[in-house]
Amino acid sequence: MNNLIRRASILAGTTSLALAVGTGAAAAHVTVVAPDAAQGGYTVMTFRVPTESETAATSSVKVELPGLKAARTQPIPGWTSTVDRDSEGLATAVTWTAEPGAEVLPGQFQQFLLSAGPLPEDDSVSLPATQTYTDGEVVAWDEEPTDGSEPERPAPALTLAAAADPPHGRSNEDLEVIAVATDEGSDNTALWVAGVALVLGALGAALGIGATVRGRRS
């Protein structure tokens, strides 16, 4: 999962220019990109949130999720994040909130990265967003296209590629278990490492004591 985040950081840098190109209202939309997003797969989404207001800053962003097993945010200095889950433990939303002084000022934008999956088995997925400003204004980016025309405030959306075959020797269920375990944090990994270290230390001590005893006997 961390590799996905590092790879997405590079992709985010290369796509920032493309996201910034545009005129009029389209350039100010809340958007999402994930070049490797596929049906049933895991990916890193990059949400680009510009501040449209000329007098207030963006202080919070909330994105609705379609009930995902794994959802993990990348730390942003000055921002905190919260993932909402339902009774089954599925991620239904993620909210980024700015600490005082870290808000996105007028004329600026911020990018928020989310590692998540497995994605729905659909051609596309809509991810409605809510943008809150320091003056109390709340803007909902939740409109769906109609009659082939773009709405005023479209919901961020991803087009999903066809499901890819899992790596050789692993099933989709295996990948889900790995992703969910990673999403729960690195504490378990640290405990395993500490446990292995203790075992190795005990073995080393036992071997050392045995060598000392044999040396005295000889």
Side-chain angles (χ1 to χ4, degrees):
M1 197 68 70
N2 289 334
N3 289 333
L4 279 175
I5 293 177
R6 286 194 293 269
R7 182 175 60 185
S9 298
I10 297 174
L11 289 173
T14 59
T15 56
S16 292
L17 179 59
L19 287 169
V21 172
T23 58
H29 290 170
V30 172
T31 56
V32 59
V33 294
D36 61 349
Q39 299 172 10
Y42 294 80
T43 190
V44 174
M45 309 174 193
T46 302
F47 294 90
R48 179 180 183 272
V49 181
T51 293
E52 290 184 311
S53 175
E54 297 181 356
T55 59
T58 299
S59 59
S60 177
V61 178
K62 181 177 182 179
V63 176
E64 303 294 334
L65 302 175
L68 304 176
K69 288 187 177 181
R72 194 174 191 181
T73 59
Q74 183 184 48
I76 300 176
W79 288 74
T80 59
S81 61
T82 302
V83 176
D84 297 333
R85 296 183 180 275
D86 61 17
S87 59
E88 298 180 354
L90 299 179
T92 57
V94 57
T95 303
W96 289 274
T97 304
E99 298 174 358
E103 300 89 349
V104 186
L105 301 177
Q108 299 180 346
F109 73 92
Q110 179 62 273
Q111 295 189 137
F112 303 89
L113 271 62
L114 177 70
S115 177
L119 299 174
E121 299 286 348
D122 299 314
D123 293 334
S124 64
V125 57
S126 180
L127 302 161
T130 302
Q131 182 177 13
T132 302
Y133 288 92
T134 51
D135 62 0
E137 180 184 6
V138 178
V139 178
W141 299 92
D142 58 0
E143 299 176 359
E144 301 297 333
T146 57
D147 301 328
S149 60
E150 185 179 50
E152 181 181 358
R153 292 174 177 172
L158 285 176
T159 297
L160 305 181
D165 293 333
H168 180 69
R170 291 190 183 278
S171 65
N172 287 324
E173 290 75 13
D174 292 335
L175 296 179
E176 290 181 7
V177 170
I178 293 171
V180 171
T182 303
D183 181 60
E184 291 176 349
S186 59
D187 289 345
N188 289 338
T189 301
L191 290 174
W192 275 104
V193 172
V196 171
L198 288 173
V199 172
L200 292 177
L203 289 175
L207 291 174
I209 294 173
T212 301
V213 172
R214 287 194 299 271
R216 290 179 178 176
R217 288 179 179 177
S218 61

